[in-house]
Amino acid sequence: MKKVKAIVGAATPHWVGNGFPVQTIFSYDRFAEELSPFLLLDYAKPTEFPGDGVKRGVGEHPHRGFETVTIVYEGELAHKDSSGAGGVIRAGDVQWMTAGAGILHEELHSARFSQQGGPLQMVQLWVNLPRQHKMMPPRYQSIEKTDIPVVLLPDDAGILRVIAGDYGDTSGSAETVSPLNVFDIQLKPGGQMHLDIPEGWSNAVIVLDGTVRVNGSAPLEPSTMALLERGGQEVVLTAERQSQILILAGEPIDEPVVGHGPFVMNSAQEISQAFADYSQGRFAGV
């Protein structure tokens, strides 16, 4: 059974643009080695927005060297980028964008959501790319809710959505660059489930809502992460009330992580080059 290495509470909420009030659950400035290949996770807990037609979100901005994964639970987002890709991300959908060598994109509340208003709840995860793939061509995966496999957990404990990786014989819809699992889990009150994580992989349990014990830990409250040691394989989750959980597990990328703003590379020199390339219009489709 894996040991819980640390329990981490979320940072103080802050706004990303004018459309995303988020809590940073973890970031690479503290957990680059322990959580590789995962770099950052921002959680926007349910927040009510008015139906006033105001255009909210984050305008055009660049990325290089990693992937962004956006999971929408409530509300609706619109995305477009400099490769020509884009679309609407609805409740239950996932967007997996590989910035690779460089991309410009914008993330906004959809026109319909801006007019109708309502609650917005979402997660954005950053996933690192190995050195050999950091300059790969940008790629966009739009994964609709109906394309995400759903597994009914034993003893009517809840459900598990396989966004990426493998849960038993069920494979997720996302195509990943390095081996990893992203599972979206709903556990009922009193529900319990067992997971097997490959030996040596990084592993984190993020409680978005509810109250959950991880391998007998103290109860984890909403917006809290349990960081597990890489040794061992078994993870046991027990929900004390209805709970929403994200499981992140991945094969570590044993390379330096150097990030600044929207770029994550392997050296300061590569970061400087990314800023130069961006300013000189050398990103995809610009």
Side-chain angles (χ1 to χ4, degrees):
M1 182 174 287
K2 284 183 172 289
K3 294 181 180 179
V4 176
K5 185 175 183 179
I7 295 177
V8 182
T12 302
H14 64 281
W15 283 85
V16 176
N18 66 348
F20 307 109
V22 304
Q23 296 172 288
T24 299
I25 306 296
F26 68 83
S27 62
Y28 59 86
D29 58 347
R30 291 181 60 196
F31 297 105
E33 182 177 353
E34 293 93 335
L35 278 174
S36 177
F38 305 106
L39 295 168
L40 175 144
L41 189 142
D42 278 343
Y43 174 47
K45 64 183 181 180
T47 302
E48 195 76 20
F49 284 90
D52 55 10
V54 174
K55 187 177 181 179
R56 294 183 174 91
V58 182
E60 186 178 83
H61 59 283
H63 288 302
R64 170 180 279 181
F66 63 99
E67 303 178 289
T68 66
V69 181
T70 304
I71 305 169
V72 176
Y73 293 96
E74 294 183 278
E76 197 172 87
L77 305 181
H79 166 96
K80 67 177 181 179
D81 63 47
S82 55
S83 74
V88 176
I89 315 165
R90 300 176 175 85
D93 294 351
V94 174
Q95 173 215 75
W96 199 295
M97 187 191 78
T98 305
I103 201 166
L104 302 177
H105 76 143
E106 65 177 29
E107 301 160 291
L108 303 170
H109 296 185
S110 73
R112 184 172 69 172
F113 182 72
S114 297
Q115 292 293 335
Q116 295 181 349
L120 176 69
Q121 180 188 14
M122 57 164 286
V123 161
Q124 186 165 96
L125 170 69
W126 289 13
V127 180
N128 202 10
L129 290 170
R131 178 185 282 111
Q132 68 193 76
H133 296 293
K134 280 192 174 292
M135 297 297 286
M136 69 182 286
R139 180 176 68 185
Y140 182 83
Q141 300 178 69
S142 178
I143 307 170
E144 295 185 0
K145 177 181 179 179
T146 53
D147 294 327
I148 299 174
V150 177
V151 178
L152 301 179
L153 298 174
D155 303 318
D156 196 30
I159 63 171
L160 181 151
R161 298 201 308 156
V162 187
I163 294 172
D166 300 296
Y167 177 76
D169 296 329
T170 304
S171 297
S173 301
E175 182 180 345
T176 69
V177 175
S178 61
L180 56 86
N181 295 331
V182 178
F183 301 152
D184 177 31
I185 300 170
Q186 295 179 36
L187 282 183
K188 297 179 180 179
Q192 185 176 86
M193 70 166 297
H194 295 247
L195 283 167
D196 285 324
I197 305 297
E199 182 84 22
W201 278 26
S202 303
N203 184 208
V205 178
I206 294 98
V207 178
L208 303 179
D209 193 20
T211 306
V212 179
R213 294 181 185 270
V214 182
N215 288 354
S217 70
L220 273 67
E221 298 298 328
S223 303
T224 303
M225 174 180 75
L227 175 63
L228 283 78
E229 294 186 349
R230 291 180 182 171
Q233 293 180 302
E234 186 181 22
V235 178
V236 180
L237 307 178
T238 307
E240 297 191 348
R241 58 189 179 95
Q242 184 75 28
S243 298
Q244 186 83 46
I245 306 158
L246 265 183
I247 298 290
L248 306 179
E251 184 176 78
I253 299 171
D254 187 21
E255 295 171 358
V257 174
V258 179
H260 189 90
F263 308 131
V264 181
M265 303 298 288
N266 297 119
S267 69
Q269 182 180 0
E270 291 172 330
I271 293 293
S272 296
Q273 187 63 54
F275 277 103
D277 290 345
Y278 168 56
S279 65
Q280 294 168 24
R282 291 198 287 262
F283 277 27
V286 180

